[in-house]
Amino acid sequence: MLFSPKLLLELSYAWIFNEYPSFVEEDGRRFISQETGHLYVAKVEPSDVGNYTCVVTSVVTAARVLGSPTPLMLRADGVMGEYEPKIEVQFPETLPAAKGSTVRLECFALGNPVPRITWRRSDGRPLPSKVNLRKFGGVLEIPSFEQEDAGSYECLAENSRGRNVARGRLTYYAKPHWVQLIRDVEAAVEESLRWDCRAGGKPKPSYRWLRNGEALALESRHTYLGEVFVSEQERIQLENGALSIVNLSVADAGMFQCVAENKHGLAYSSAELRVLASAPDFSTAPMKKLVRAQVGSAVGLDCRPRAAPRALCSWKRGEVTVREDGRISFLKDGGLSIANVTKADAGTYTCFAENQFGTANDSTRLVVTDPTRITVAPSNMDVSVGESVVLPCQVRHDPLLDVAFTWYFNGALADFQKDGSHLEQVGRSSSGDLMIRNIQLKHAGKYVCVVQSAVDSVSSAADLVVRGSPGPPANVQVEEITDTTAQVSWTEGTDSHSPITAYSVQARTPFSVGWQAARTGEGSGRCCGYLSCPRSLMGKTHTATVVELNPWVEYEFRVVASNKIGGGEPSLPSEKVRTEEAAPEVPPSEVSGGGGSRSELVITWEPVPEELQNGEGFGYVVAFRPLGVTTWIQTVVTSPDAPRYVFRNESIVPFAPYEVKVGVYNNKGEGPFSPVATVFSAEEAEPTAAPAHVWAHSLSSSEIEVSWSAIPWKLSSGHLLGYEVRYWTSGEEGSPRRVKVVAGETAARLHGLRSHLVYHAAVRAYNSAGAGPFSATVNATTKKTPPSQPPGNVIWNATDARVFLSWEQVRAMENESEVTGYKVFYRTSGQGGLQVLSTNRTSAELRLPVQEGYVVHVRATTAGGDGASSAPVRIPRRTKQGLAAVAVMHEPYQPAVSHLGRFGCQGLPSAIASVHPVPRYLPAVLLVAHALW
């Protein structure tokens, strides 16, 4: 069953079922042809009854037109029986397809049951892999159509009642497309032109030419060329797309088009021909003003003026006409060539150019120079890492020329900026020596010195061999492992041009600090007496037995090679391996104890490090007995990290001595015990009395000292450990600070306190059982802070053995401690020990040897501590023939002192003024000098 709308081009088709927007959906039973617009229903069913409206849409404008509704009704005279397929939609018997296009073939059949559509090629070849089947097989789509896709195609419609076949042939065609285009040409009169244009296409295209939009016709007219008449047909030739024109004239200029065409289309290629006619002109191609040549070389002088047609050229040197001989020849392009140049060839050369439109000339000066020669060339060298060498490169060159030196390293330009710490080019105008400082292995290779002038270039090369410490060994492996040894092997690395003399093996564990030198036996097997085993191995050795390892520890090994230059980089680490287990050999250290609660014996020790536990299941055996008893009491502590054991028993006498020792064990067996130590059981009670006569007094703005009387104590009552001082300020009662002192001490200094503040303190004694009661609280107030203003305007007067100092008085502020005196600190300029002189005046006298210079500074002293320091005063070394002077040692004037010897007494004011202007705040500058010369 089908419906047919009016056929239009560039349209797409759809059908509405009953009313919009219910569109007919295509499937294996329904098909809408985009070639005809028809709707096909292979087998009508009752659900298909209704009205159908064709919708036609313009692909270009998207405009839509709806047709009149067409009803579909079922006939009342019976039911359609089964029948074989009948192909209603098929493609043409012959269908041309363009190159690169997308080809769509439609095929649909009516039938009951609904037919199945398949496709194939008539020649039996498989369908191209790029083929797409659409609309349930009703459309075969071939994208990017090529010539190999052409041929016969078949559509098969099949159902249970039979089959039907439709055939058609796809033919290939291609519009002309350019293979070679023509390009714009600029030529001179009397020259020849050939344009080739080639195009591809199916069928093969033909060619024609246009000039200024009109067909290029070969007329029968003749052109006069000198004494010969040439026909236009002979001057212009067309051959299979090629255009040739000989003896061009200005009239030939224009816009040309090559047209390639076949029955499927046209292709155009356009280009412009410009024909030039002009007198010689050097303005756009002037001759070089200066040409340099080397004696014995060949030189060419160019003469290429712009001219149409090409100009004829002649030459003069000065006023003498140049003629060809065995050394001098004229070139076809107008240039001049001189072979085996001599000094006599130097001079000014003028080229005269001429054609029928005029003449022109231009000149160049030829300078002939002597060749550049390398007089001192770099030579091959053999050096060691860390040395410094100079590769010489010195030349003799013509004095008219400048030369430039360039160094190449292993074929690349030497990078003086990147490797500036090692490479430096030294020398003068005729020397370009290369200095290499602190040579490294990377500097080994070929060095080439290139000397270049304006006319020649010479070079010389040298090889530099650098011998250094060896490279890292490779392939370090552990081949055998026991509880205390490991068999290690490796392969040799680079020797850096110096034979390897020795190897050393290093080991690392999770417990070591970095890599440690490992003790080894000989190349294979174990050595007798580990203490005599060497740490380094001979250079030919590539295996070693590492000894004295700890059992049950994870190890890594690496190898370092050495030669006469030194030790090299270490190898990469081996894989991690674990030594086998063994019984422990090291007991715990620092066995001690004491303290605890009543009826307790506390035993402590330093746990054995994991690397010395030698295996799994590690623990401790604790043994103890009262002093004088022969039988040991033993117990086991299973935790390897346990640092203590507490034995509790009501029969334990307070503060009784016990002998204790601690042993070790693991899954492989028991190890040794520690030496026996004496430990006291817990004391009966903490101290019951508080310290008496507690007193506190301030030492400075940040320190208070607290003292007390020792509490009475009997040895039978236990062992006094010390005293605890607790101190605080108002508001800090809930979080006091504490300091402890050992027994026997009866005073403590409290540091880091705030100035001018009341502090409270209390003291109590403590032993291993606990702390006793606090004493009564005492108070002390810290001093005010020392003055922040340093002593100013320090003045010194030096004689042959004394230095007299004076300074301004420091006045404390209201919140600072009053000044009680001053301290003068002095040391030699050579950073000797600091000495102090105290005084309650604002001056001081120092007896200082004349042979030394000194640095002096002054501080105010107060009850709250020392104040700020004055600026350092530098007193220079003095001689008996020198001078004594009073100088204002304000910091900016110190440079003036060093000028005293130059200016003398009368020049001292000028010396100080020249260093720095006198500040306005100084009341005066006292300059009194007496010369002893």
Side-chain angles (χ1 to χ4, degrees), residues 501-530:
T501 58
Y503 289 100
S504 61
V505 181
Q506 297 176 347
R508 180 173 67 179
T509 73
F511 316 107
S512 64
V513 180
W515 291 91
Q516 305 292 331
R519 193 172 294 278
T520 58
E522 296 179 356
S524 60
R526 300 181 65 172
C527 63
C528 301
Y530 292 156

Side-chain angles (χ1 to χ4, degrees), residues 19 22 153 259 282 381 482 537 666 676 921:
E19 60 183 18
S22 178
Y153 287 78
V259 183
F282 284 94
M381 302 188 74
T482 69
L537 308 157
N666 63 15
V676 176
Y921 58 79

